[in-house]
Amino acid sequence: MPAFLLRSVYTVEGIDGLTRDGGTKRAEVVRKLVEDAGGQLLSMHFAFADDDTYVLCDLPDHRTAAALAIRIGAARGLRTRVTPLLTPAEVDEATRTSTDYTPPGD
């Protein structure tokens, strides 16, 4: 199953909800969301950085990842970015894949 990193920033409404719910409840909500989509939550972390949350999960496909990001964004509590992740073996395959490319100016 493909891996994805979901990075999110809380909106004012989201911070208000986090203050009421706490981190543990939010993590359980995320776990249920991912599992209901057919995926597996690998880890979730809160941070004091450019992003407020980091969720590492396996999801069935890119369409599912997009659906989760759309659903989360529509709820207006978070702004979420989805990053597809590659394993080292997938990078090995990519480097062995032949492609034709002409750089700009050539």
Side-chain angles (χ1 to χ4, degrees), residues 1 4 6 33-34 36-39 58-71 82:
M1 208 175 321
F4 295 88
L6 284 71
L33 176 69
V34 169
D36 286 353
D58 289 337
L59 294 170
D61 51 40
H62 290 83
R63 184 177 55 236
T64 302
L68 293 185
I70 291 166
R71 179 167 295 146
V82 178

Side-chain angles (χ1 to χ4, degrees), residues 10-23 25-26 77:
Y10 278 101
T11 63
V12 172
E13 297 87 357
I15 291 172
D16 185 47
L18 176 64
T19 301
R20 284 193 314 270
D21 292 347
K25 181 176 178 182
R26 296 314 313 156

Side-chain angles (χ1 to χ4, degrees), residues 31-80:
R31 178 179 308 284
K32 182 173 179 355
L33 176 69
V34 169
E35 289 176 355
D36 286 353
Q40 179 183 8
L41 178 66
L42 302 174
S43 69
M44 177 177 173
H45 302 275
F46 293 90
F48 300 106
D50 291 336
D51 297 306
D52 296 320
T53 65
Y54 295 87
V55 173
L56 181 60
C57 60
D58 289 337
L59 294 170
D61 51 40
H62 290 83
R63 184 177 55 236
T64 302
L68 293 185
I70 291 166
R71 179 167 295 146
I72 292 166
R76 298 185 178 183
L78 296 165
R79 288 186 310 278
T80 301

